PDB file of all heavy atoms in Angstrom:
ATOM      1  N   VAL A 117      -2.782  72.380  13.474  1.00 93.00           N
ATOM      2  CA  VAL A 117      -2.681  70.961  13.860  1.00 93.00           C
ATOM      3  C   VAL A 117      -1.173  70.647  13.882  1.00 93.00           C
ATOM      4  O   VAL A 117      -0.499  70.850  12.873  1.00 93.00           O
ATOM      5  CB  VAL A 117      -3.455  70.086  12.882  1.00 93.00           C
ATOM      6  CG1 VAL A 117      -3.253  68.626  13.277  1.00 93.00           C
ATOM      7  CG2 VAL A 117      -4.919  70.440  12.932  1.00 93.00           C
ATOM      8  N   ASN A 118      -0.721  70.150  14.980  1.00 93.00           N
ATOM      9  CA  ASN A 118       0.708  69.848  15.113  1.00 93.00           C
ATOM     10  C   ASN A 118       1.114  68.636  14.247  1.00 93.00           C
ATOM     11  O   ASN A 118       0.347  67.749  14.038  1.00 93.00           O
ATOM     12  CB  ASN A 118       1.071  69.525  16.594  1.00 93.00           C
ATOM     13  CG  ASN A 118       0.930  70.746  17.497  1.00 93.00           C
ATOM     14  OD1 ASN A 118       0.892  71.875  17.045  1.00 93.00           O
ATOM     15  ND2 ASN A 118       0.781  70.481  18.776  1.00 93.00           N
ATOM     16  N   GLY A 119       2.322  68.685  13.764  1.00 89.00           N
ATOM     17  CA  GLY A 119       2.887  67.561  12.950  1.00 89.00           C
ATOM     18  C   GLY A 119       2.762  67.771  11.472  1.00 89.00           C
ATOM     19  O   GLY A 119       3.281  66.968  10.695  1.00 89.00           O
ATOM     20  N   ALA A 120       2.151  68.850  11.051  1.00 88.00           N
ATOM     21  CA  ALA A 120       2.005  69.050   9.571  1.00 88.00           C
ATOM     22  C   ALA A 120       3.308  69.516   8.950  1.00 88.00           C
ATOM     23  O   ALA A 120       4.128  70.238   9.558  1.00 88.00           O
ATOM     24  CB  ALA A 120       0.954  70.144   9.321  1.00 88.00           C
ATOM     25  N   ALA A 121       3.601  69.039   7.734  1.00 86.00           N
ATOM     26  CA  ALA A 121       4.814  69.429   7.024  1.00 86.00           C
ATOM     27  C   ALA A 121       4.780  70.919   6.738  1.00 86.00           C
ATOM     28  O   ALA A 121       5.760  71.580   6.862  1.00 86.00           O
ATOM     29  CB  ALA A 121       4.959  68.612   5.738  1.00 86.00           C
ATOM     30  N   THR A 122       3.631  71.439   6.383  1.00 87.00           N
ATOM     31  CA  THR A 122       3.412  72.848   6.156  1.00 87.00           C
ATOM     32  C   THR A 122       2.294  73.290   7.061  1.00 87.00           C
ATOM     33  O   THR A 122       1.146  73.053   6.748  1.00 87.00           O
ATOM     34  CB  THR A 122       3.018  73.128   4.656  1.00 87.00           C
ATOM     35  OG1 THR A 122       3.955  72.502   3.829  1.00 87.00           O
ATOM     36  CG2 THR A 122       3.039  74.605   4.355  1.00 87.00           C
ATOM     37  N   PRO A 123       2.586  73.904   8.236  1.00 86.00           N
ATOM     38  CA  PRO A 123       1.568  74.252   9.201  1.00 86.00           C
ATOM     39  C   PRO A 123       0.433  75.033   8.645  1.00 86.00           C
ATOM     40  O   PRO A 123      -0.727  74.860   9.023  1.00 86.00           O
ATOM     41  CB  PRO A 123       2.314  75.022  10.271  1.00 86.00           C
ATOM     42  CG  PRO A 123       3.738  74.503  10.166  1.00 86.00           C
ATOM     43  CD  PRO A 123       3.956  74.242   8.746  1.00 86.00           C
ATOM     44  N   ALA A 124       0.658  75.957   7.672  1.00 88.00           N
ATOM     45  CA  ALA A 124      -0.422  76.775   7.133  1.00 88.00           C
ATOM     46  C   ALA A 124      -1.475  75.955   6.435  1.00 88.00           C
ATOM     47  O   ALA A 124      -2.593  76.432   6.240  1.00 88.00           O
ATOM     48  CB  ALA A 124       0.192  77.821   6.205  1.00 88.00           C
ATOM     49  N   THR A 125      -1.187  74.745   5.996  1.00 90.00           N
ATOM     50  CA  THR A 125      -2.186  73.923   5.293  1.00 90.00           C
ATOM     51  C   THR A 125      -3.068  73.206   6.258  1.00 90.00           C
ATOM     52  O   THR A 125      -4.074  72.669   5.840  1.00 90.00           O
ATOM     53  CB  THR A 125      -1.484  72.912   4.398  1.00 90.00           C
ATOM     54  OG1 THR A 125      -0.649  72.068   5.140  1.00 90.00           O
ATOM     55  CG2 THR A 125      -0.666  73.602   3.289  1.00 90.00           C
ATOM     56  N   CYS A 126      -2.730  73.211   7.578  1.00 92.00           N
ATOM     57  CA  CYS A 126      -3.545  72.559   8.585  1.00 92.00           C
ATOM     58  C   CYS A 126      -3.955  73.641   9.598  1.00 92.00           C
ATOM     59  O   CYS A 126      -3.926  73.387  10.800  1.00 92.00           O
ATOM     60  CB  CYS A 126      -2.746  71.462   9.272  1.00 92.00           C
ATOM     61  SG  CYS A 126      -3.069  69.839   8.621  1.00 92.00           S
ATOM     62  N   ARG A 127      -4.386  74.774   9.160  1.00 93.00           N
ATOM     63  CA  ARG A 127      -4.695  75.897  10.055  1.00 93.00           C
ATOM     64  C   ARG A 127      -6.149  76.295   9.953  1.00 93.00           C
ATOM     65  O   ARG A 127      -6.710  76.381   8.847  1.00 93.00           O
ATOM     66  CB  ARG A 127      -3.858  77.076   9.638  1.00 93.00           C
ATOM     67  CG  ARG A 127      -4.134  78.359  10.441  1.00 93.00           C
ATOM     68  CD  ARG A 127      -3.159  79.445  10.128  1.00 93.00           C
ATOM     69  NE  ARG A 127      -1.858  79.070  10.682  1.00 93.00           N
ATOM     70  CZ  ARG A 127      -0.686  79.468  10.218  1.00 93.00           C
ATOM     71  NH1 ARG A 127      -0.640  80.369   9.224  1.00 93.00           N
ATOM     72  NH2 ARG A 127       0.424  79.102  10.770  1.00 93.00           N
ATOM     73  N   ILE A 128      -6.744  76.531  11.125  1.00 95.00           N
ATOM     74  CA  ILE A 128      -8.085  77.041  11.171  1.00 95.00           C
ATOM     75  C   ILE A 128      -7.993  78.477  11.727  1.00 95.00           C
ATOM     76  O   ILE A 128      -7.238  78.688  12.696  1.00 95.00           O
ATOM     77  CB  ILE A 128      -9.028  76.232  12.105  1.00 95.00           C
ATOM     78  CG1 ILE A 128      -9.208  74.808  11.504  1.00 95.00           C
ATOM     79  CG2 ILE A 128     -10.385  76.868  12.280  1.00 95.00           C
ATOM     80  CD1 ILE A 128      -8.219  73.838  11.892  1.00 95.00           C
ATOM     81  N   SER A 129      -8.587  79.364  11.058  1.00 96.00           N
ATOM     82  CA  SER A 129      -8.501  80.783  11.479  1.00 96.00           C
ATOM     83  C   SER A 129      -9.890  81.366  11.821  1.00 96.00           C
ATOM     84  O   SER A 129     -10.814  81.129  11.136  1.00 96.00           O
ATOM     85  CB  SER A 129      -7.885  81.605  10.324  1.00 96.00           C
ATOM     86  OG  SER A 129      -7.854  82.991  10.641  1.00 96.00           O
ATOM     87  N   TYR A 130      -9.976  82.045  12.979  1.00 96.00           N
ATOM     88  CA  TYR A 130     -11.164  82.660  13.453  1.00 96.00           C
ATOM     89  C   TYR A 130     -10.931  84.157  13.678  1.00 96.00           C
ATOM     90  O   TYR A 130     -10.052  84.477  14.465  1.00 96.00           O
ATOM     91  CB  TYR A 130     -11.641  81.970  14.733  1.00 96.00           C
ATOM     92  CG  TYR A 130     -12.901  82.608  15.350  1.00 96.00           C
ATOM     93  CD1 TYR A 130     -14.152  82.179  15.006  1.00 96.00           C
ATOM     94  CD2 TYR A 130     -12.803  83.636  16.296  1.00 96.00           C
ATOM     95  CE1 TYR A 130     -15.317  82.735  15.553  1.00 96.00           C
ATOM     96  CE2 TYR A 130     -13.958  84.190  16.802  1.00 96.00           C
ATOM     97  CZ  TYR A 130     -15.200  83.779  16.464  1.00 96.00           C
ATOM     98  OH  TYR A 130     -16.320  84.282  17.013  1.00 96.00           O
ATOM     99  N   THR A 131     -11.704  84.938  13.018  1.00 95.00           N
ATOM    100  CA  THR A 131     -11.595  86.445  13.176  1.00 95.00           C
ATOM    101  C   THR A 131     -12.928  86.915  13.707  1.00 95.00           C
ATOM    102  O   THR A 131     -14.000  86.602  13.142  1.00 95.00           O
ATOM    103  CB  THR A 131     -11.199  87.116  11.867  1.00 95.00           C
ATOM    104  OG1 THR A 131     -10.011  86.589  11.377  1.00 95.00           O
ATOM    105  CG2 THR A 131     -11.027  88.630  12.075  1.00 95.00           C
ATOM    106  N   GLU A 132     -12.838  87.690  14.837  1.00 94.00           N
ATOM    107  CA  GLU A 132     -14.067  88.217  15.441  1.00 94.00           C
ATOM    108  C   GLU A 132     -14.976  88.955  14.464  1.00 94.00           C
ATOM    109  O   GLU A 132     -14.500  89.461  13.464  1.00 94.00           O
ATOM    110  CB  GLU A 132     -13.652  89.216  16.559  1.00 94.00           C
ATOM    111  CG  GLU A 132     -12.920  88.669  17.694  1.00 94.00           C
ATOM    112  CD  GLU A 132     -12.501  89.670  18.691  1.00 94.00           C
ATOM    113  OE1 GLU A 132     -12.674  90.923  18.468  1.00 94.00           O
ATOM    114  OE2 GLU A 132     -11.889  89.335  19.704  1.00 94.00           O
TER     115      GLU A 132
END
Side-chain angles (χ1 to χ4, degrees):
V117 177
N118 295 340
T122 310
T125 60
C126 265
R127 176 173 292 157
I128 295 89
S129 178
Y130 176 89
T131 304
E132 294 175 358

